[in-house]
Amino acid sequence: MRFWECNVWRISRALYADAEDPAAITRTEKAYTFGKQNGVYEVRILLPFASKGEVGLFKKGDELVIEIGTFRRHIGLPRSMAALQPARARLESQVLTVEMKEAL
């Protein structure tokens, strides 16, 4: 076994238990969803490690951009929401809900 192979093996043993598959799917929920509630379009984004004061968002073209610290995520909006603008956002129970409305 070569030096780098030995180190990779040691690291993998430290990170994963004997019967644990590192390629296994461990989460099944969607990172974000699009919907319409009471006539208002919404984008719901799962943010398990964010707090209210550190989340920023803006729209760029047909994408919604979410920022948390130095992390930035671009979410392509469906055609039905591409012309809408973010109107209100709230973070509750680790889910950011962004209401999208027509620009005035």
Side-chain angles (χ1 to χ4, degrees):
M1 189 180 304
R2 291 182 219 145
F3 174 75
W4 66 271
E5 290 173 329
C6 182
N7 284 337
V8 169
W9 182 82
R10 286 183 184 154
I11 291 170
S12 66
R13 297 289 292 170
L15 293 175
Y16 301 101
D18 290 335
E20 191 175 0
D21 179 5
I25 296 172
T26 59
R27 302 194 69 135
T28 57
E29 66 268 358
K30 295 178 181 180
Y32 53 87
T33 58
F34 306 102
K36 192 172 184 181
Q37 294 271 57
N38 301 322
V40 178
Y41 287 96
E42 293 181 340
V43 181
R44 293 176 170 262
I45 304 131
L46 182 62
L47 299 178
F49 302 108
S51 59
K52 288 183 182 184
E54 61 185 3
V55 178
L57 68 93
F58 61 93
K59 186 167 181 268
K60 182 177 181 181
D62 61 353
E63 296 179 327
L64 187 63
V65 182
I66 309 296
E67 294 179 327
I68 303 169
T70 59
F71 174 78
R72 181 179 285 180
R73 175 78 182 249
H74 293 251
I75 299 172
L77 296 170
R79 202 174 289 184
S80 61
M81 298 174 83
L84 304 177
Q85 295 295 319
R88 181 176 172 223
R90 64 186 180 281
L91 181 63
E92 296 172 339
S93 302
Q94 301 180 337
V95 176
L96 178 67
T97 303
V98 182
E99 293 181 6
M100 304 291 289
K101 295 188 178 178
E102 291 184 26
L104 299 176

